[in-house]
Amino acid sequence: MILYNGTTGSLARYFAEAAAKTDSPVIALRSRLEDFDHFRSELEQLNGETAKLIHFAAKVSVPWCESHAEEARKTNVADTFETSRIFIETCRKKKIQPKILYVSSAHLYAKNDGAIHETDPVLPRSVYATTKLEAENALKSLAKATDTDLRIARVF
């Protein structure tokens, strides 16, 4: 079972089109990232041996994040972390193996005139990029503490 959030964003729309062509059960989550109670109710449908959560949801507009830094940090770091924590906790209670794919950003990388590679240094140049890196680090700690499979994709 695959669940994903951020359904109104462009990446999630592309994902939905691709997911519709597979045989896997894919569920678009409707709860807002900060609406933990609604998220918990959506997780009641979890079943099977493994559940995967794909995190597309985020405050993305760089200009908006620059002028609303604390709100961007709350959504992109704190709410993302808490959503992941709730997902892991719910899966464990249901004896389901949780897996998380966090969709991050190539905005994290230092300015580069050539091709960017995964091994290049990170040097966020905006509030948006900083929050994505903070979320990556928070989720890595959570995954390590809970022995959860976490993958991070830095989208270009």
Side-chain angles (χ1 to χ4, degrees):
M1 174 177 282
I2 300 170
L3 301 99
Y4 69 100
N5 59 20
T7 58
T8 59
S10 60
L11 289 177
R13 284 190 207 130
Y14 289 122
F15 176 77
E17 291 172 17
K21 298 174 185 173
T22 70
D23 293 333
S24 299
V26 180
I27 299 167
L29 298 168
R30 300 294 177 208
S31 54
R32 303 280 308 160
L33 197 55
E34 69 277 3
D35 188 353
F36 305 129
D37 290 336
H38 188 206
F39 179 61
R40 281 185 180 94
S41 71
E42 288 187 290
L43 293 180
E44 289 176 11
Q45 62 192 315
L46 284 177
N47 60 51
E49 293 180 21
T50 303
K52 301 170 186 170
L53 173 63
I54 302 176
H55 269 295
F56 289 111
K59 298 287 186 189
V60 176
S61 167
V62 172
W64 186 91
C65 289
E66 291 299 318
S67 62
H68 299 85
E70 287 309 309
E71 191 173 343
R73 183 163 281 106
K74 180 189 177 307
T75 298
N76 293 354
V77 182
D79 292 346
T80 295
F81 178 89
E82 185 61 11
T83 298
S84 299
R85 191 195 66 72
I86 292 167
F87 173 72
I88 293 166
E89 177 182 271
T90 303
C91 285
R92 299 285 190 223
K93 284 180 183 174
K94 291 177 169 253
K95 308 269 190 263
I96 297 171
Q97 180 64 39
K99 295 184 177 191
I100 298 173
L101 172 62
Y102 177 65
V103 180
S104 190
S105 173
H107 282 251
L108 275 62
Y109 293 106
K111 190 167 177 73
N112 182 331
D113 293 333
I116 296 174
H117 300 91
E118 287 183 27
T119 55
D120 286 352
V122 294
L123 181 62
R125 299 181 306 261
S126 68
V127 170
Y128 166 70
T130 300
T131 64
K132 294 301 270 188
L133 183 58
E134 288 173 6
E136 283 187 17
N137 291 331
L139 292 175
K140 285 177 187 176
S141 294
L142 176 64
K144 184 176 181 179
T146 60
D147 192 29
T148 298
D149 185 347
L150 168 70
R151 308 296 168 104
I152 298 171
R154 291 183 178 160
V155 179
F156 288 80

